[in-house]
Amino acid sequence: MLASYTADAVWEPQSVITVRVPDPVAVRLLTQHHALSYSEPETAKADQPAAQSPADPRPAAGSGVGPGVFDDTPVHSRRLVTGEHLRTLRAAMRDAEQLYVVFAVGSGLEVVALSVLEERCAAGWQGSIIAGASDLPDALFTPLPPSPDHEESVWPARIHDPHHEAFGGHLSTAEGERVLVRLLEGRRDTNHALRSLALARGVADLRQLQAVGYDDRDFPRRPFASAVWHGLLAMEQLALEPFEPDTGWQHASGLPLGVLAGVQAYTSDAEGRYQGRAHSPRLQAPASGARRQP
């Protein structure tokens, strides 16, 4: 209710939330005991009852986090998100720095981190938030079974026999989810990481997933757990020996690259720990340093 009817939010020096609510709700807030304290501003009109927590005589001002900013109204009724909205969200939500599906007329649907969205709003971007990673429905995600006790390694042995039924299985989306769950085993943010992975898979240019700036502890901001990269990318290098010329000491066939010649591939992992990232849009192609899950 507070999120839906918020008219203003002032977090410093004290947390004061101004809400505009229907008369029955205002009466209940002002007359009964709650964990939060409420008072009616002196400037509130009779036909627009309001309640504040804690006592503050200032009238409602600003846009705050009102209806239609996030996911509390139909999509066609969403309001344009502003920098003020995002600052309020970051102050009120513990895991605000996550991936969001956003829409703008000029750029269409995109998946970006909150810090990237803050930069865009500051530069004049106009668009709406459709949903965050944490808003994705539970029905979309099938609970994965626990790992067998005998499964010691997160990274199983590679199968090189092309006739084996499990050949190439380490490149599948299911394998990416399994690796992610194993890496986060016992942690509470596994479900959130799976939702972030689902959104990240729809991004053509993985460089868009990079967050901007530092948090209040001076750590680089991250929109999801680092293990999500392992579910999204196969951390392997492409072996080009069959295509290299025969030098005498290195026996190779010198075959032409063929269809591989036009493949865009990452020269390093998409998180940017190494120099020289390249863009690979939705290609099930090998890469130098990292490879997209097909």
Side-chain angles (χ1 to χ4, degrees), residues 7-293:
D8 187 28
V10 180
W11 303 107
E12 297 293 343
Q14 59 179 339
S15 297
V16 178
I17 303 174
T18 303
V19 294
R20 293 186 180 275
V21 295
D23 186 68
V25 176
V27 171
R28 184 175 181 87
L29 292 177
L30 296 170
T31 58
Q32 297 191 13
H33 296 290
H34 304 276
L36 300 176
S37 60
Y38 296 90
S39 64
E40 185 175 5
E42 297 177 358
T43 56
K45 298 179 181 179
D47 58 344
Q48 291 183 324
Q52 289 188 307
S53 169
D56 191 322
R58 291 175 295 178
S63 55
V65 188
V69 175
F70 298 112
D71 61 347
D72 52 358
T73 63
V75 174
H76 68 271
S77 300
R78 298 289 166 84
R79 295 163 52 191
L80 296 180
V81 65
T82 67
E84 181 186 352
H85 295 144
L86 300 181
R87 287 190 293 272
T88 302
L89 175 65
R90 187 178 291 285
M93 190 175 178
R94 184 176 60 86
D95 56 348
E97 186 64 56
Q98 56 177 283
L99 295 181
Y100 293 85
V101 181
V102 300
F103 178 80
V105 174
S107 55
L109 280 173
E110 295 180 279
V111 176
V112 296
L114 178 65
S115 53
V116 174
L117 196 56
E118 288 173 329
E119 280 198 340
R120 291 189 179 185
C121 286
W125 180 86
Q126 289 190 324
S128 300
I129 292 180
I130 306 301
S134 57
D135 300 319
L136 298 182
D138 293 337
L140 293 175
F141 302 91
T142 304
L144 297 178
S147 304
D149 295 337
H150 63 274
E151 188 178 3
E152 298 179 356
S153 175
V154 176
W155 317 101
R158 295 291 180 258
I159 298 174
H160 301 284
D161 181 4
H163 302 291
H164 194 284
E165 61 179 4
F167 178 72
H170 65 289
L171 298 177
S172 68
T173 55
E175 176 66 8
E177 294 170 1
R178 187 199 68 81
V179 169
L180 175 60
V181 171
R182 282 295 311 278
L183 290 174
L184 296 180
E185 202 163 16
R187 290 176 49 173
R188 292 182 294 178
D189 57 349
T190 302
N191 288 333
H192 191 275
L194 285 171
R195 286 160 168 75
S196 299
L197 176 62
L199 288 184
R201 282 175 174 159
V203 176
D205 187 347
L206 297 187
R207 293 172 295 181
Q208 294 179 212
L209 303 180
Q210 183 176 358
V212 179
Y214 298 84
D215 60 20
D216 53 3
R217 297 177 298 170
D218 290 330
F219 289 115
R221 286 173 174 161
R222 297 188 305 177
F224 43 68
S226 58
V228 172
W229 290 116
H230 293 288
L232 184 67
L233 303 167
M235 295 307 196
E236 297 178 354
Q237 290 188 343
L238 170 64
L240 291 176
E241 286 85 354
F243 306 98
E244 295 176 353
D246 192 339
T247 60
W249 62 271
Q250 179 177 345
H251 299 288
S253 63
L255 290 172
L257 285 173
V259 296
L260 292 179
V263 169
Q264 299 183 37
Y266 290 104
T267 58
S268 67
D269 70 304
E271 193 175 9
R273 287 192 294 258
Y274 305 98
Q275 186 178 3
R277 278 178 295 167
H279 155 214
S280 178
R282 296 183 179 277
L283 292 177
Q284 303 177 22
S288 175
R291 175 158 48 185
R292 284 294 301 271
Q293 294 285 356

